[in-house]
Amino acid sequence: MATLSVLKADTGGYVGHSATHPDLVEAAETLLKGKKEDGTLLDFCVGQVGDDVALILSHTRGAESEAIHRVAWEVFQQTTDVAKRLKLYGAGQDLLSDAFSGNLKGLGPGIAEMEIDERPSEPVLVFLADKTEPGAWNLPLYRIFADPFNTPGLVIDPKMHDGFVFEILDLKADQAARFKTPEESYDLLMFIGAPSHYVVRRVLRAQDEEVVAATSTQKLSLMAGRYVGKDDPVMIVRAQSGFPAVGEILEAFARPHLVGGWMRGSHVGPIMPVGFRDAVASRFDGPPRVACYGFQLNRGRLVGPRDLFADVAFDPARRQAGEMAEMMRSMGPFEPHRLPLDEMEYTTMPEIMARVRDRFVPVEEAPLEERQEGTAATGR
Ligand code: 13P
Ligand code: 13P
Ligand code: MG
Ligand code: MG
Ligand code: MG
Ligand code: MG
């Protein structure tokens, strides 16, 4: 049994929030190489998207292993040191605590893990997104595992024909629930159609409850209670032989959807599928990006990565995302480009509200100018 752990953090941006610095990636690779040599890891790959570094680790220690989380913690401490030395932007941004107590959960990094009983051939895709939130995976996961117009295998493949079970999380109430598709699709959609509130944590094949997809569900602002950058989630999906084909999984990103998390974590924009070379976030600190690292697992070894969105057939999706970005940008500081107010509560919104609160008075009372002398309205 191999375990795949993908742990991702922003420990410093180069330049601003746009990309990572090569020294930071090199530091991560050097440390992980040692952990492979001493037998802690079977294999590793350091992935990047925007200003985030993802540690893609294979090992035999199971999910939530203290040893593995400790490795990731050490790497993120070291890359933070490099970032501080280079005065990169937001050094240590995603590390909310200085103390590691056995598990990275709740400390800031995004984590997705999956224990895999390796099949005769085990293709695995790892998705990394920047400038967005965990709910960004909801729509593509629905397309992949519940929409036959995206995934003909749901109709054709007898192992998928019974459908899939979606395990969802209520991020605000800290509760989980399961819904089975196709029978409960409409119930499921009622929840996952609200991706800032409900996120898909795992997908299981209905026939045998084999886990086929896992996501990171950590929401930084809910952990920190203030704005500390965007969550920038990761996702693992297994492919082929009773699971969706690689192309069916990627197809879910061929028509870009709108997600929250662009510029200051406060704007909605299209998620653009990009090859590794284009996995940077510059225009208006975005638009949100997703890169896909493809591997063939071989006895726990990560054969790869293949850069799966580098395919020119995704050029129309990128062009469309560009047009959607243009359209959204024209709205400036107005919703729905800017996030709704209840999601701005982790930004400067509470401060502004506190400062002007006493200007808001019941509408029925005396005219405003009589009651608000000394405010901006009287030209003070
Ligand atoms: P190949 O014949 O190229 O292996 O294709 C099989 C397939 O089903 C692709 O979706
Ligand atoms: P990151 O979470 O990628 O650091 O983004 C922060 C931001 O606000 C960019 O505008
Ligand atoms: Mg950043
Ligand atoms: Mg980021
Ligand atoms: Mg972030
Ligand atoms: Mg073939």
Side-chain angles (χ1 to χ4, degrees):
M1 194 87 137
T3 307
L4 268 188
S5 300
V6 182
L7 310 109
K8 183 221 56 86
D10 176 351
T11 57
Y14 171 63
V15 172
H17 291 286
S18 65
T20 54
H21 191 280
D23 288 4
L24 209 138
V25 176
E26 198 189 305
E29 281 173 343
T30 305
L31 197 145
L32 292 176
K33 196 158 165 276
K35 297 295 176 186
K36 185 175 166 182
E37 281 161 9
D38 76 12
T40 310
L41 302 174
L42 288 173
D43 206 356
F44 71 89
C45 169
V46 177
Q48 299 169 67
V49 64
D51 57 358
D52 296 294
V53 170
L55 315 179
I56 303 168
L57 311 178
S58 72
H59 54 94
T60 53
R61 293 160 196 269
E64 297 199 31
S65 149
E66 175 165 354
I68 297 302
H69 283 217
R70 184 179 298 282
V71 165
W73 179 254
E74 283 174 28
V75 171
F76 293 140
Q77 295 292 325
Q78 280 209 13
T79 55
T80 298
D81 289 345
V82 174
K84 282 183 177 158
R85 219 161 40 237
L86 294 171
K87 288 182 66 179
L88 297 183
Y89 194 70
Q93 178 181 285
D94 285 357
L95 304 183
L96 303 179
S97 161
D98 309 319
F100 178 76
S101 55
N103 196 307
L104 266 190
K105 276 197 174 152
L107 299 190
I111 306 157
E113 300 192 286
M114 194 191 275
E115 294 181 34
I116 295 176
D117 200 359
E118 206 177 283
R119 297 167 293 164
S121 178
E122 187 67 61
V124 179
L125 311 189
V126 174
F127 291 87
L128 309 177
D130 188 40
K131 304 300 180 272
T132 187
E133 56 189 14
W137 307 128
N138 287 8
L139 186 150
L141 282 171
Y142 187 84
R143 282 182 181 152
I144 296 165
F145 294 105
D147 179 6
F149 281 76
N150 181 88
T151 304
L154 293 166
V155 178
I156 294 170
D157 185 335
K159 284 192 174 156
M160 298 209 290
H161 202 88
D162 286 346
F164 288 88
V165 175
F166 286 69
E167 199 171 278
I168 69 167
L169 273 192
D170 177 339
L171 291 176
K172 300 190 177 166
D174 241 342
Q175 292 180 323
R178 284 185 173 193
F179 293 91
K180 154 114 179 35
T181 58
E183 299 90 318
E184 300 176 328
S185 302
Y186 300 164
D187 291 339
L188 173 68
L189 285 168
M190 182 53 83
F191 297 101
I192 66 171
S196 62
H197 191 155
Y198 295 94
V199 303
V200 180
R201 176 167 66 178
R202 296 199 302 170
V203 181
L204 299 81
R205 181 165 57 193
Q207 199 186 57
D208 50 8
E209 302 226 324
E210 187 75 10
V211 178
V212 52
T215 70
S216 63
T217 54
Q218 292 74 24
K219 214 160 150 88
L220 271 171
S221 59
L222 296 185
M223 290 188 270
R226 65 194 148 87
Y227 179 65
V228 283
K230 218 43 191 178
D231 325 297
D232 306 332
V234 302
M235 170 167 79
I236 308 170
V237 188
R238 302 167 73 186
Q240 307 287 155
S241 312
F243 295 140
V246 169
E248 289 171 332
I249 297 165
L250 299 175
E251 182 66 7
F253 294 90
R255 286 169 204 85
H257 60 292
L258 294 168
V259 298
W262 194 1
M263 182 50 86
R264 298 173 184 275
S266 305
H267 293 79
V268 170
I271 188 158
M272 182 185 272
V274 289
F276 299 166
R277 200 196 53 166
D278 299 313
V280 293
S282 305
R283 182 184 174 184
F284 200 57
D285 285 0
R289 307 280 153 131
V290 55
C292 181
Y293 286 66
F295 300 96
Q296 287 289 150
L297 263 193
N298 179 7
R299 298 166 186 86
R301 211 158 56 78
L302 292 160
V303 181
R306 272 224 58 226
D307 181 359
L308 288 165
F309 282 138
D311 184 356
V312 292
F314 281 100
D315 286 349
R318 291 187 264 273
R319 206 157 38 242
Q320 191 187 339
E323 285 159 14
M324 291 163 79
E326 198 55 39
M327 191 252 270
M328 296 304 283
R329 282 300 303 124
S330 72
M331 297 287 297
F334 284 80
E335 297 177 12
H337 183 30
R338 200 188 71 184
L339 285 180
L341 273 189
D342 63 325
E343 289 182 52
M344 301 285 285
E345 64 191 277
Y346 295 100
T347 66
T348 51
M349 164 58 188
E351 277 168 46
I352 295 177
M353 193 53 182
R355 184 158 48 76
V356 301
R357 176 159 283 127
D358 58 2
R359 289 192 206 179
F360 288 85
V361 293
V363 278
E364 302 81 14
E365 289 178 11
L368 278 178
E369 55 272 25
E370 281 174 30
R371 289 175 291 122
Q372 293 200 334
E373 279 167 33
T375 66
T378 61
R380 187 181 81 171

